[in-house]
Amino acid sequence: MPPSNIPQHVAIIMDGNGRWAKQHGLPRIEGHRRGAEAVKRCLKAAQDYGVTHLTLYAFSVENWSRPKDEVDALMDLLDRFLQDQLPELLKRKIRLRVIGRYHELPDNIQARLREAEAATRDFDQHTLGLALNYGSRTEVVDAARSIAEAAQAGTLQLDQLDYDTFRQHLYTTDMPDPDLVIRTSGESRLSNFLLLQSAYAEIYLSPVLWPAFDEAEFKNALTAYAARERRYGKTAEQLIH
Ligand code: IPE
Ligand code: IPE
Ligand code: MG
């Protein structure tokens, strides 16, 4: 039976590719390759369960500090993934939205992303968010800069700045906040992922290494979410009434 109370937006920190590869005596890149397969399974599961927004943390601003071979291999994998998956996104009417510092990504990746975003722009039932060259701290700095520019241009009055206006300057301006954040691989940290947007998200820590993540574990996360009580600062008694 599908769990009740399905979250609208699930965001996932896909972690554990390297450890999965090590456990299987394979090079790290093979873990990433198998991780891309897990992305396809997860995308399907999310759509089948009626999750409207799925955001995947694929590459952080900090991940540039990995060995060059690994970064290059990840970019190649991403290039191929985008090429392979565009027909699938079109078939299943999924809009692609990239969050992160786009212009610092390699040109070929930017071109693929632009193509896929443009081709899927009008789909409004399902969204796949891809966090690429993403970090919450750079996002906040970019938002602050954009707010300062608007104030200087006279299109924004600083004394009227509130969070609703602030959030319009974040990369996620047209996305709802995540209801559920999943981190795989047994780690218990957010690693600079959607820190502001997850202010009231429920968090599910999965012990599964990302390449082994499947529909059953996705369902476990949804079931755990359904049993949570989101209080937004209120008392439990207030929520009953
Ligand atoms: C997640 O797996 C993929 C990326 C961060 C790109 P890792 O590569 O971080 O895997 P571990 O943490 O080393 O096992
Ligand atoms: C977080 O995983 C980034 C992505 C999943 C893309 P990391 O493996 O980079 O995080 P840390 O370094 O363990 O915190
Ligand atoms: Mg990791």
Side-chain angles (χ1 to χ4, degrees), residues 4 10 12 44 53 69 96 122 130 138 152 172 191-192 205 218 220 223 229 237:
S4 58
V10 176
I12 308 185
K44 183 168 185 314
H53 291 70
D69 281 1
L96 179 76
D122 294 330
L130 265 193
T138 40
Q152 229 161 24
T172 51
S191 302
N192 206 8
L205 301 173
F218 191 77
N220 288 340
T223 303
E229 184 179 69
E237 289 71 25

Short mmCIF file of all heavy atoms in Angstrom, two decimals, residues 4 10 12 44 53 69 96 122 130 138 152 172 191-192 205 218 220 223 229 237:
data_model
loop_
_atom_site.label_atom_id
_atom_site.label_comp_id
_atom_site.label_asym_id
_atom_site.label_seq_id
_atom_site.Cartn_x
_atom_site.Cartn_y
_atom_site.Cartn_z
N SER A 4 0.43 7.29 3.08
CA SER A 4 -0.47 8.44 2.95
C SER A 4 0.35 9.72 3.12
O SER A 4 1.54 9.66 3.46
CB SER A 4 -1.54 8.35 4.02
OG SER A 4 -0.89 8.32 5.28
N VAL A 10 10.47 16.44 -2.35
CA VAL A 10 11.50 15.62 -1.71
C VAL A 10 12.86 16.04 -2.26
O VAL A 10 13.03 16.15 -3.48
CB VAL A 10 11.27 14.11 -1.99
CG1 VAL A 10 12.40 13.27 -1.41
CG2 VAL A 10 9.92 13.65 -1.44
N ILE A 12 17.05 15.22 -2.09
CA ILE A 12 17.93 14.12 -1.69
C ILE A 12 19.41 14.47 -1.81
O ILE A 12 19.87 14.95 -2.85
CB ILE A 12 17.66 12.84 -2.52
CG1 ILE A 12 16.16 12.49 -2.49
CG2 ILE A 12 18.48 11.67 -2.00
CD1 ILE A 12 15.81 11.19 -3.19
N LYS A 44 11.60 7.69 -11.18
CA LYS A 44 10.39 6.94 -11.49
C LYS A 44 9.54 6.73 -10.23
O LYS A 44 8.33 6.96 -10.24
CB LYS A 44 10.78 5.59 -12.11
CG LYS A 44 9.57 4.79 -12.52
CD LYS A 44 9.90 3.61 -13.39
CE LYS A 44 8.63 2.92 -13.89
NZ LYS A 44 7.63 2.72 -12.84
N HIS A 53 7.72 17.46 -6.79
CA HIS A 53 9.05 18.05 -6.95
C HIS A 53 10.10 17.13 -6.32
O HIS A 53 9.98 16.76 -5.15
CB HIS A 53 9.15 19.41 -6.25
CG HIS A 53 8.33 20.47 -6.92
ND1 HIS A 53 6.97 20.49 -6.90
CD2 HIS A 53 8.71 21.56 -7.64
CE1 HIS A 53 6.54 21.54 -7.58
NE2 HIS A 53 7.57 22.20 -8.04
N ASP A 69 40.66 13.97 -11.99
CA ASP A 69 40.13 12.81 -12.73
C ASP A 69 38.69 12.53 -12.35
O ASP A 69 37.86 12.20 -13.20
CB ASP A 69 40.94 11.55 -12.38
CG ASP A 69 42.25 11.52 -13.13
OD1 ASP A 69 42.51 12.48 -13.88
OD2 ASP A 69 43.02 10.54 -12.95
N LEU A 96 12.75 20.17 -16.05
CA LEU A 96 14.08 20.20 -15.41
C LEU A 96 14.39 21.62 -14.95
O LEU A 96 14.21 22.58 -15.69
CB LEU A 96 15.17 19.73 -16.39
CG LEU A 96 16.58 19.75 -15.79
CD1 LEU A 96 16.77 18.57 -14.85
CD2 LEU A 96 17.65 19.72 -16.88
N ASP A 122 7.58 23.98 -20.14
CA ASP A 122 6.13 24.16 -19.97
C ASP A 122 5.44 23.05 -19.18
O ASP A 122 4.24 23.12 -18.95
CB ASP A 122 5.47 24.30 -21.35
CG ASP A 122 5.93 25.59 -22.03
OD1 ASP A 122 6.24 26.56 -21.31
OD2 ASP A 122 6.01 25.60 -23.27
N LEU A 130 17.88 19.82 -10.25
CA LEU A 130 19.25 19.28 -10.18
C LEU A 130 20.14 20.33 -9.55
O LEU A 130 20.28 21.44 -10.10
CB LEU A 130 19.77 18.97 -11.58
CG LEU A 130 19.64 17.56 -12.15
CD1 LEU A 130 20.50 17.44 -13.40
CD2 LEU A 130 19.97 16.47 -11.14
N THR A 138 26.86 30.09 -1.16
CA THR A 138 26.99 30.90 -2.39
C THR A 138 25.61 31.38 -2.84
O THR A 138 25.47 32.49 -3.36
CB THR A 138 27.68 30.12 -3.54
OG1 THR A 138 27.22 28.80 -3.54
CG2 THR A 138 29.17 30.15 -3.44
N GLN A 152 19.70 49.32 -5.35
CA GLN A 152 20.44 50.41 -6.01
C GLN A 152 19.67 50.94 -7.22
O GLN A 152 19.64 52.14 -7.47
CB GLN A 152 21.79 49.88 -6.48
CG GLN A 152 22.94 50.76 -6.08
CD GLN A 152 24.26 50.00 -6.15
OE1 GLN A 152 24.39 49.01 -6.88
NE2 GLN A 152 25.22 50.44 -5.37
N THR A 172 15.85 28.91 -5.95
CA THR A 172 14.64 28.08 -5.89
C THR A 172 13.36 28.91 -5.90
O THR A 172 12.32 28.41 -5.47
CB THR A 172 14.65 27.26 -4.59
OG1 THR A 172 14.90 28.17 -3.50
CG2 THR A 172 15.73 26.18 -4.59
N SER A 191 25.65 19.27 4.59
CA SER A 191 26.68 19.58 3.58
C SER A 191 26.29 20.73 2.64
O SER A 191 26.40 20.60 1.42
CB SER A 191 27.03 18.32 2.77
OG SER A 191 27.48 17.30 3.63
N ASN A 192 25.81 21.84 3.25
CA ASN A 192 25.58 23.06 2.47
C ASN A 192 24.44 22.94 1.46
O ASN A 192 24.43 23.60 0.43
CB ASN A 192 26.90 23.45 1.76
CG ASN A 192 27.02 24.93 1.46
OD1 ASN A 192 26.21 25.74 1.90
ND2 ASN A 192 28.04 25.29 0.70
N LEU A 205 17.36 10.06 7.51
CA LEU A 205 18.73 9.59 7.29
C LEU A 205 18.67 8.11 6.91
O LEU A 205 18.23 7.28 7.69
CB LEU A 205 19.55 9.78 8.56
CG LEU A 205 19.65 11.23 9.06
CD1 LEU A 205 20.35 11.31 10.41
CD2 LEU A 205 20.37 12.12 8.04
N PHE A 218 12.95 4.33 -0.92
CA PHE A 218 12.20 5.57 -1.14
C PHE A 218 10.88 5.49 -0.37
O PHE A 218 10.48 6.42 0.33
CB PHE A 218 11.96 5.79 -2.64
CG PHE A 218 11.44 7.15 -2.98
CD1 PHE A 218 12.29 8.25 -3.01
CD2 PHE A 218 10.09 7.35 -3.28
CE1 PHE A 218 11.81 9.52 -3.31
CE2 PHE A 218 9.61 8.61 -3.59
CZ PHE A 218 10.47 9.71 -3.60
N ASN A 220 10.27 3.62 2.23
CA ASN A 220 10.57 3.71 3.67
C ASN A 220 10.63 5.17 4.12
O ASN A 220 10.13 5.53 5.19
CB ASN A 220 11.91 3.06 4.00
CG ASN A 220 11.84 1.53 3.91
OD1 ASN A 220 10.77 0.95 3.97
ND2 ASN A 220 13.00 0.91 3.76
N THR A 223 7.16 6.61 4.20
CA THR A 223 6.40 6.08 5.33
C THR A 223 6.83 6.77 6.62
O THR A 223 5.98 7.13 7.45
CB THR A 223 6.62 4.55 5.44
OG1 THR A 223 6.24 3.97 4.19
CG2 THR A 223 5.80 3.93 6.55
N GLU A 229 5.02 14.64 12.71
CA GLU A 229 4.09 15.74 12.95
C GLU A 229 4.85 17.05 12.78
O GLU A 229 5.78 17.33 13.53
CB GLU A 229 3.54 15.64 14.36
CG GLU A 229 2.49 16.69 14.66
CD GLU A 229 1.94 16.55 16.07
OE1 GLU A 229 2.71 16.80 17.02
OE2 GLU A 229 0.78 16.16 16.21
N GLU A 237 -0.97 20.46 20.87
CA GLU A 237 -2.39 20.66 21.16
C GLU A 237 -3.03 21.61 20.15
O GLU A 237 -4.14 21.41 19.70
CB GLU A 237 -2.60 21.21 22.59
CG GLU A 237 -2.31 20.21 23.70
CD GLU A 237 -0.82 19.91 23.86
OE1 GLU A 237 0.02 20.76 23.48
OE2 GLU A 237 -0.49 18.81 24.34
#
